[in-house]
């Protein structure tokens, strides 16, 4: 520091001492350059020329006195309990925890409560209390990097475990993971053993299986998939990726929503936040982006009546973060995707790339009016009352598997993109003797209308043209024309009709060369039933791409 800077600093200290002596009835204590009142609250004096120091002091005061303030995905946010609300296609139960972004006005309020703010008053020749100036709050937000604030990875409302088997169950912020345990004491909860035995895990598994014994599962793998959903709800905040849990049944009233609510109650202590998908994929993605920004822990896509698909939904299942632009903002944010998503619907249709990102639960009561069944107990009330016991039982399963050294399981292939979920959720269940919880999901591939269309079109293409290259226009003309076009000369009536049906299935609307060309480009080189679409040069006349269907060796 130069002599000039030394003299300047001394002058400021002298002025501060002079002003301090003029403060009436206030005894302040200095510690490490900061000033505190007798009750230990930080005093911030808004003198000209001290903005950087004032911002440092403000950040320290917020860290000391604002328990619910965090740094999250490049924003300052607060965790708060929301009132019951239903807007924008989202219904949240009363008390649901959400993340609220802090703007300048709100930070002014928080800063005023976190410290004693003073401004020098020349008339009284002393300092007087004031609110934190809005310009100071705005300047603090504009820093964009708040190292003194706790970094938040997400909030949890039930105990969970890390991939190395460490239990997180104490209230407050866990600095290693960035998780904030926001739940109060849970009746019936007691920590499981640090290293449970296989016998401990088997007894815990029986507790969970008895809980869901009254549901009409199609097969044992569906029962295993329900336990998967319970575990995923508790561990989702520490998992980089997780499949969507889908619950389907042929008839309303079978218990699909009860399954989704079971996952939510165990994980959060309340019912799930329910998201309506809207009428199109764009609207659905906007609503899904909103609940991800709000940090909801369990999101129920309830009573879906159209095929379930979408790029954002696929990204949420397989990626740890997605890039989203908050409503009204100009910049993009990387938002964590660690929410359990549960989709329910009657004869639920899951198409596209989402098929391999789903754990399916099938219910079938075998009755025309399953909602008229009677039960000996209220299932959800039972879950509420036994929540602590159920959490302990669920966490015992992965803890026992990890304690056993995560043994390999013969014949169980890993699930690409979900390695951590596979290790902490799926494999412990198979290790304990349950069927693979993903077995029911294998049928989704056969039910995919896109795959069905591809199989049908490629089969009739080979029957009609063998491996001879054709343009999209040639194929459409052959299938849709009643004759007179050169490409139809060798087709029988049956072949032409079947090809027409296949074209209408893959093009969705009236087939034309543009729609078919787009479909061919999207499916080229993919192998289905030993058949493959490949580019085969171009048409010399119109320079249109030629395509052929070939048999793979």
């Amino acid at each position: 520091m130069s002599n000039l800077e030394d003299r300047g600093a001394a002058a400021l200290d002298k002025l501060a001492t002079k002003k301090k002596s003029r403060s009436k009835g206030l005894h302040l204590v200095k510690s490490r350059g900061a000033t505190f009142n007798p009750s230990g609250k930080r005093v911030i004096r808004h003198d000209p020329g001290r903005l950087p120091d004032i911002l440092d002091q403000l950040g320290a005061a917020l860290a000391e006195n604002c328990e619910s303030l965090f740094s999250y995905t490049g924003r300052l946010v607060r965790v708060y309990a929301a009132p019951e609300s239903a807007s924008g296609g989202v219904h949240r139960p009363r008390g649901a925890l959400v993340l609220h972004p802090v703007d300048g006005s709100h930070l002014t309020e928080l800063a005023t409560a976190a410290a004693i703010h003073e401004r020098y008053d020349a008339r009284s020749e002393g300092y007087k209390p004031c609110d934190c100036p809005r310009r100071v709050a705005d300047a603090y937000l504009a820093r964009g990097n708040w190292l003194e604030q706790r970094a938040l990875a997400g909030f949890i409302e039930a105990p969970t475990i890390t991939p190395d088997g460490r239990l997180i169950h104490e209230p407050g912020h866990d600095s290693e993971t960035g998780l904030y345990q926001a739940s109060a004491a849970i009746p019936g909860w007691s920590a499981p053993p640090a290293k449970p035995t296989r016998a401990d895990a088997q007894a815990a598994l029986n507790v969970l299986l008895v809980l869901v014994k009254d549901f009409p599962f199609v097969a044992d793998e569906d029962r295993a998939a329900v336990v998967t959903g319970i575990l995923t709800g508790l561990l989702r905040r520490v998992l980089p990726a997780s499949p969507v849990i889908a619950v389907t049944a042929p008839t309303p009233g079978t218990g699909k929503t009860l399954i989704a609510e079971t996952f939510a109650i165990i994980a959060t202590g309340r019912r799930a936040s329910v998201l309506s998908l809207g009428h199109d994929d764009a609207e659905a993605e906007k609503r899904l982006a909103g609940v991800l920004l709000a940090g909801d822990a369990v999101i129920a896509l309830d009573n879906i009546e159209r095929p379930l698909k979408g790029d954002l939904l696929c990204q949420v299942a397989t990626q740890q973060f997605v890039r989203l632009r908050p409503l009204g903002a100009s910049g993009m944010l990387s938002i964590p995707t660690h929410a359990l998503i549960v989709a329910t619907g009657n004869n639920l249709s899951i198409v596209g790339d989402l098929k391999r990102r789903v754990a399916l639960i099938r219910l079938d009561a075998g009755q025309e009016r399953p909602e008229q069944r009677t039960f000996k107990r209220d299932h959800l009330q039972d879950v509420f009352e036994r929540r602590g016991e159920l959490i302990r039982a669920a966490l015992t399963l992965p803890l026992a598997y990890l304690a056993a050294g995560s043994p390999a399981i013969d014949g169980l292939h890993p699930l690409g993109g979900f390695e951590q979920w596979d290790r902490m959720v799926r494999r412990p269940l198979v290790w304990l003797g349950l069927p693979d919880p993903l077995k029911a999901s294998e049928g989704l591939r056969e039910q995919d209308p896109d795959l069905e269309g591809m199989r049908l079109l490629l089969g009739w293409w080979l029957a009609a043209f063998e491996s001879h290259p054709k343009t999209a226009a040639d194929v459409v003309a052959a299938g849709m024309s009643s004759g007179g076009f050169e490409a139809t000369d060798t087709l029988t009536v049956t072949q032409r009709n079947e090809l027409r049906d296949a074209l209408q299935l893959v093009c969705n609307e009236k087939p034309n060369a543009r729609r078919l060309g787009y479909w061919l480009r999207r499916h080229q080189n993919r192998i289905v039933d030993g058949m493959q679409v490949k580019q085969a040069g171009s048409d010399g006349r119109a320079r249109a791409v030629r395509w052929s269907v070939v048999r793979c060796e």
Side-chain angles (χ1 to χ4, degrees), residues 99-282:
L99 299 176
H100 178 67
V102 175
D103 60 11
S105 297
H106 189 33
L107 186 61
T108 299
E109 175 192 354
L110 298 177
T112 301
I116 296 173
H117 297 264
E118 295 181 341
R119 191 190 301 275
Y120 184 73
D121 180 61
R123 178 175 298 178
S124 62
E125 296 187 342
Y127 282 96
K128 286 189 173 182
C130 67
D131 295 334
C132 176
R134 171 64 187 269
R135 64 177 183 81
V136 173
D138 288 339
Y140 185 73
L141 283 177
R143 281 187 164 185
N145 187 23
W146 309 278
L147 297 179
E148 63 276 9
Q149 305 303 330
R150 294 165 298 172
L152 181 69
F155 57 81
I156 55 177
E157 298 177 77
T160 190
I161 60 173
T162 62
D164 61 0
R166 182 171 66 89
L167 180 66
I168 301 175
H169 65 111
E170 296 293 340
H173 184 259
D174 182 74
S175 58
E176 183 178 329
T177 61
L179 295 176
Y180 179 68
Q181 173 63 271
S183 65
I186 301 174
W189 157 257
S190 61
K195 294 185 176 181
T197 65
R198 184 166 184 160
D200 293 332
Q202 194 67 60
L205 177 60
N206 290 338
V207 170
L208 301 178
L209 293 177
V210 168
L211 175 72
V212 297
K213 66 182 178 64
D214 291 334
F215 285 93
F217 298 110
V218 172
D220 286 341
E221 56 263 27
D222 302 291
R223 185 175 288 102
V226 168
V227 181
T228 292
I230 294 173
L231 275 175
T232 304
L234 291 171
L235 302 180
R236 186 62 184 95
R237 297 299 203 196
V238 301
L239 298 174
S242 164
V244 173
I245 307 296
V247 191
T248 186
T251 311
T254 308
K256 302 181 297 297
T257 301
L258 283 181
I259 292 285
E261 299 290 16
T262 298
F263 301 154
I265 293 168
I266 294 175
T268 68
R270 66 183 61 83
R271 294 173 180 263
S273 297
V274 179
L275 174 66
S276 172
L277 287 183
H279 300 293
D280 55 45
D281 291 341

Side-chain angles (χ1 to χ4, degrees), residues 37 69 89 104 204 501 522 544:
N37 72 353
L69 184 68
D501 291 343
R522 191 160 61 90

